[in-house]
């Protein structure tokens, strides 16, 4: 008797793609992305699930992103990164805050993603900045952008100011960076399990659905009927 297919039984590792748009080394943006990744991995482990993590440092793709913006043809490195996003069961997207919004490099990466790639995909958002006064950038810049992509953004987001890194906190401090990252990781893990069809009660399309849970604009308007036809003209 053949062994059951791991994909069919929901035993395959889940794919988590982490997009970190920091420009320096070391980067506070990457540090926040790593905390969110660890929290998500821990939450999935509590469900007995393994996860494969792919980290995309956007600065390493900068030249190919610009070329793809001009030519619409991604280079090999960028194409591999886009393919990883296309296979993701969940995405963590973290950007530094410039002029009260996401960085241009962060936005440029998502500008070259094919329409429909992120439809229904669970996404956790994070941002970094010098002070907490920039924290609303997530809600008025990042969240609307991913709503346009029809991604399934988890409710909790994390903004990390410079003072959050290295701050002395306790495990009971609900406002600490670690506590906030833990909440995001728990939510993203739950969304990923539903999206992958592992648990019931999906709030987004699952991998069991046609198109791996994603719909393109052509799919969405494929059954469009002109008003004239509806009126029998």
């Amino acid at each position: 008797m053949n062994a059951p297919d791991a994909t069919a039984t929901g035993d395959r590792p889940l794919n988590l793609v982490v997009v970190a748009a920091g420009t320096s080394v070391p980067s506070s943006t990457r540090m926040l992305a790593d905390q969110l990744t660890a929290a998500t991995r821990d939450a999935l482990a509590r469900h007995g699930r393994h996860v494969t993590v792919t980290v995309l440092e956007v600065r390493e793709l900068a030249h190919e992103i610009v070329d793809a913006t001009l030519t619409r043809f991604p280079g090999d490195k960028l194409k591999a990164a886009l393919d990883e996003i296309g296979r993701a069961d969940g995405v963590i997207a973290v950007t530094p805050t410039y002029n009260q919004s996401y960085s241009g490099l962060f936005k440029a990466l998502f500008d070259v993603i094919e329409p429909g790639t992120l439809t229904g995909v669970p996404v956790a958002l994070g941002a970094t900045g010098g002070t907490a006064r920039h924290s609303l950038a997530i809600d008025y810049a990042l969240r609307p952008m991913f709503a346009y992509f029809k991604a399934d953004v988890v409710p909790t987001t994390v903004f990390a100011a410079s003072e959050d890194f290295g701050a002395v906190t306790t495990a009971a401090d609900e406002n600490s960076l670690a506590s906030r990252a833990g909440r995001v990781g728990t939510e993203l893990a739950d969304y990923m399990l539903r999206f992958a069809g592992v648990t019931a009660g999906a709030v987004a399309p699952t991998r069991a659905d046609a198109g791996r849970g994603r719909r393109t604009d052509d799919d969405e308007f494929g059954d469009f009927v002109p008003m004239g036809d509806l009126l029998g003209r």
Side-chain angles (χ1 to χ4, degrees):
M1 182 176 181
N2 294 330
D5 182 5
T7 302
T9 59
D11 291 334
R12 67 172 178 84
L14 300 180
N15 297 316
L16 175 62
V17 175
V18 182
V19 177
T23 56
S24 60
V25 181
S27 163
S28 60
T29 300
R30 175 61 188 270
M31 292 168 61
L32 175 58
D34 287 345
Q35 288 201 39
L36 295 174
T37 301
T40 304
R41 183 188 286 113
D42 291 345
L44 288 169
R46 291 194 292 271
H47 290 278
R49 303 295 307 183
H50 297 289
V51 60
T52 299
V53 177
T54 301
V55 179
L56 304 178
E57 287 276 11
V58 184
R59 62 183 175 79
E60 297 177 355
L61 302 169
H63 291 292
E64 291 195 13
I65 290 173
V66 173
D67 290 342
T69 300
L70 297 174
T71 67
R72 308 309 300 176
F73 292 101
D76 292 340
K77 196 171 182 179
L78 177 58
K79 185 179 185 304
L82 298 178
D83 288 343
E84 289 294 338
I85 295 174
R87 288 191 291 267
D89 296 297
V91 173
I92 294 173
V94 186
T95 178
T97 303
Y98 296 140
N99 297 322
Q100 294 288 334
S101 186
Y102 39 68
S103 73
L105 186 58
F106 177 85
K107 178 62 162 58
L109 170 64
F110 290 96
D111 283 344
V112 298
I113 291 177
E114 289 295 324
T117 298
L118 290 173
T119 300
V121 178
V123 175
L125 301 177
T128 58
T131 67
R133 70 175 182 269
H134 301 294
S135 59
L136 289 178
I138 294 180
D139 286 327
Y140 70 71
L142 269 75
R143 194 180 288 276
M145 184 180 85
F146 283 92
Y148 172 80
F149 290 136
K150 301 177 184 177
D152 196 18
V153 180
V154 303
T156 304
T157 60
V158 176
F159 180 90
S162 298
E163 63 192 28
D164 288 313
F165 296 99
V168 178
T169 60
T170 65
D173 185 357
E174 295 184 353
N175 293 318
S176 70
L177 182 56
S179 295
R180 288 181 285 146
R183 289 196 293 273
V184 172
T186 298
E187 291 176 4
L188 181 59
D190 289 343
Y191 275 49
M192 288 175 65
L193 291 170
R194 291 196 292 268
F195 183 64
V198 177
T199 59
V203 294
T206 69
R207 292 296 189 205
D209 295 325
R212 288 170 51 83
R214 298 180 172 88
R215 299 183 68 200
T216 65
D217 289 339
D218 290 339
D219 293 331
E220 184 170 354
F221 298 104
D223 57 354
F224 174 76
V225 179
M227 181 60 70
D229 293 343
L230 291 174
L231 296 176
R233 292 167 54 184

